[in-house]
Amino acid sequence: MHLYPSSLAALIEALRKLPGIGPKTAQRLALYLLHAPEGEAEGLAQAILDAREKIFFCSVCGNLTDTDPCELCRDEKRDRSLLCVVEWPRDIIAFERTGEFNGVYHVLHGVLSPMDGIGPDDLKIAELLKRVSKGDIKEVILATNPNVEGEATALYLAQLLKPIVPKVTRIAHGLPVGGDLEFADTATLSRSLLGRQVI
Amino acid sequence: MGIYKAESIVLRSRVYGEADRILVLYTREAGKLSAIAKGVRKTTSRLRGAVQLFTHTHLLLYTGKTLDTVSQGEAEEQFSYLEQDLQLFTAASYCAELVDRLTPDREPQPRVFYLILSTLRALKDGNPELLTRIFELKLLDILGYRPRLNSCVMGDHPAAVEGAKQLWFSIERGGVICPACAEHCKEAIPLSPAALGVMAYILRSPLQQAVKAKISPKILREMAVLLQKFLTYHGDVKLQSRYFLDALRDSETTRHKKQ
């Protein structure tokens, strides 16, 4: 990219590495940043540096945080006997948005996937078992994604957890809100029958 | 090619972009191909059920510049038992990875398709370790790497192998070596006549029959080591899932010994 001065070319190159940004978008963003209002580019640069410096994983649950333990783990109002196991920190956000869950979380940081070389030792499973073996957890909810890898991970965890926790549960499977029976696949439909509830 | 139908098995599935997945499919009509399934991570996706990992599915695809896109799909069979046992899940992953690494794109090979399908079905009650060995041998056979087991690869003397107490195998030459020739072959590794017999039986029997064979763990282990070397040499592949497959088998064995 000899058409641009080298410092601008470097900026374009750096932006291009971001997910979802192609060469044209990178050029547009770089040119915008050059002419952005006073302080905006500096603010962005500082925000990136701050986030990189201050954000780390909570030593208790593995969530993204800037304090240790994280806000959710410190919250006295939360029920510490109820533990929800999720794949990624963003799944915590999804649950928190519902406002229905008042327990604490544990982030696995992935899911079992032999083809990608991810086995039990690559996930935060040892940390989970250590946390649970302290004995104050009454129920573990396995909230991995309802796909093949997520199911395999949940069942593997259930085998490990059942001897040491009074209650191990799996989030429900069934039809999505606003869905249509006609287009539901057989696996989803049969699970929605298995998990039917009295109204 | 425009719009086309493909009876497929989903070999791999990885997250792409916001809500899409890139699939590696093995299709009966067109062999292995990659396709993008858009929006399938959303709960409202109608396609979601049809593109889950290891699903046997009927898809409608349309040709794209780089990747084809899945436009419609209906799952034919879902092998839910694979999710319920880590060993089965790993065995299925290993077979899928092997196909992904060893077969070229878009070369129709229906025998590979049916081999994957019958292996996934047989995993329901079959011994996963024996099944992975059967899968390896049959896949090598279909792809043209069938090891020569009926006669010595050094010279053309069929009878020499029969009745021998100890045989030899050359990975590089791709077959058995009789004791007389083994002296002149540096790379020959020992092979028991029992393991040879099992491999020959697997190659000549249909999968559904071969999986019923009762094979001792010792012979299975011997075959595992041999086939692993064979695949590394001839297929030039090192598979991610192999490590877990072996680790799981070993932890199972120690657990049984303790009981």
Side-chain angles (χ1 to χ4, degrees), chain A residues 133-148:
Chain A
S133 60
K134 286 183 187 149
D136 29 1
I137 287 162
K138 294 195 180 72
E139 179 178 350
V140 174
I141 305 169
L142 298 171
T144 50
N145 281 322
N147 51 31
V148 180

Side-chain angles (χ1 to χ4, degrees), chain B residues 19-202:
Chain B
D20 309 341
R21 277 180 176 276
I22 290 185
L23 313 173
V24 176
L25 305 168
Y26 203 93
T27 67
R28 190 168 59 86
E29 294 85 347
K32 188 181 75 180
L33 58 92
S34 297
I36 185 164
K38 288 188 175 155
V40 286
R41 295 175 64 207
K42 294 181 187 159
T43 49
T44 47
S45 164
R46 297 187 330 206
L47 201 58
R48 202 185 56 245
V51 295
Q52 293 293 312
L53 192 62
F54 305 134
T55 305
H56 172 204
T57 178
H58 292 278
L59 299 177
L60 188 70
L61 298 110
Y62 60 87
T63 318
K65 252 186 255 169
T66 48
L67 274 177
D68 292 0
T69 307
V70 183
S71 86
Q72 287 178 37
E74 194 173 19
E76 169 83 31
E77 266 177 290
Q78 280 167 327
F79 308 95
S80 56
Y81 43 86
L82 297 178
E83 301 163 1
Q84 282 150 29
D85 184 323
L86 193 57
Q87 222 187 346
L88 298 186
F89 177 58
T90 313
S93 302
Y94 174 73
C95 294
E97 197 183 353
L98 204 56
V99 172
D100 184 21
R101 299 291 296 275
L102 288 182
T103 59
D105 275 355
R106 292 188 188 275
E107 253 179 44
Q109 187 52 273
R111 285 176 68 201
V112 174
F113 176 84
Y114 289 112
L115 175 65
I116 308 169
L117 193 56
S118 32
T119 303
L120 291 177
R121 284 178 184 152
L123 275 170
K124 189 173 186 186
D125 331 278
N127 169 1
E129 207 193 337
L130 174 60
L131 262 167
T132 41
R133 297 294 86 78
I134 297 176
F135 188 85
E136 288 169 338
L137 273 168
K138 291 203 175 286
L139 186 68
L140 284 168
D141 182 20
I142 298 171
L143 299 178
Y145 297 106
R146 182 184 182 131
R148 188 157 131 192
L149 302 176
N150 54 354
S151 62
C152 176
V153 286
M154 297 277 283
D156 213 8
H157 38 273
V161 162
E162 269 172 40
K165 285 202 177 69
Q166 168 77 69
L167 296 169
W168 302 84
F169 192 93
S170 162
I171 302 291
E172 286 85 342
R173 289 164 195 259
V176 283
I177 296 182
C178 67
C181 294
E183 287 173 23
H184 311 291
C185 180
K186 272 187 290 185
E187 78 273 8
I189 51 172
L191 172 73
S192 72
L196 172 75
V198 173
M199 289 198 291
Y201 174 74
I202 289 173

Side-chain angles (χ1 to χ4, degrees), chain A residues 25-68:
Chain A
T25 314
Q27 286 174 37
R28 208 155 53 87
L29 290 175
L31 290 170
Y32 169 80
L33 286 170
L34 281 186
H35 303 293
E38 190 72 19
E40 198 172 315
E42 289 80 0
L44 174 66
Q46 198 54 49
I48 294 173
L49 291 175
D50 280 355
R52 289 282 298 196
E53 193 186 330
K54 290 181 186 153
I55 300 293
F56 54 93
F57 295 127
C58 170
S59 63
V60 181
C61 68
N63 190 13
L64 291 170
T65 179
D66 52 8
T67 57
D68 196 28

Side-chain angles (χ1 to χ4, degrees), chain B residues 200-239:
Chain B
Y201 174 74
I202 289 173
L203 280 172
R204 68 170 181 265
S205 319
L207 185 137
Q208 287 80 358
Q209 189 190 328
V211 72
K212 287 185 194 139
K214 294 267 177 287
I215 316 287
S216 78
K218 194 171 157 247
I219 293 174
L220 279 176
R221 183 67 60 96
E222 190 184 346
M223 285 165 57
V225 174
L226 184 87
L227 285 168
Q228 168 73 358
K229 286 182 184 153
F230 197 89
L231 282 165
T232 315
Y233 183 83
H234 293 282
D236 195 22
V237 286
K238 195 169 183 329
L239 301 182

Side-chain angles (χ1 to χ4, degrees), chain A residues 115 119 147 151-152 155 187 191, chain B residues 11-12 43 52 78 83 244:
Chain A
M115 273 186 271
N147 51 31
E151 286 304 325
L155 278 145
R191 281 185 185 169
Chain B
L11 295 182
R12 288 190 96 137
T43 49
Q52 293 293 312
Q78 280 167 327
E83 301 163 1
F244 299 109

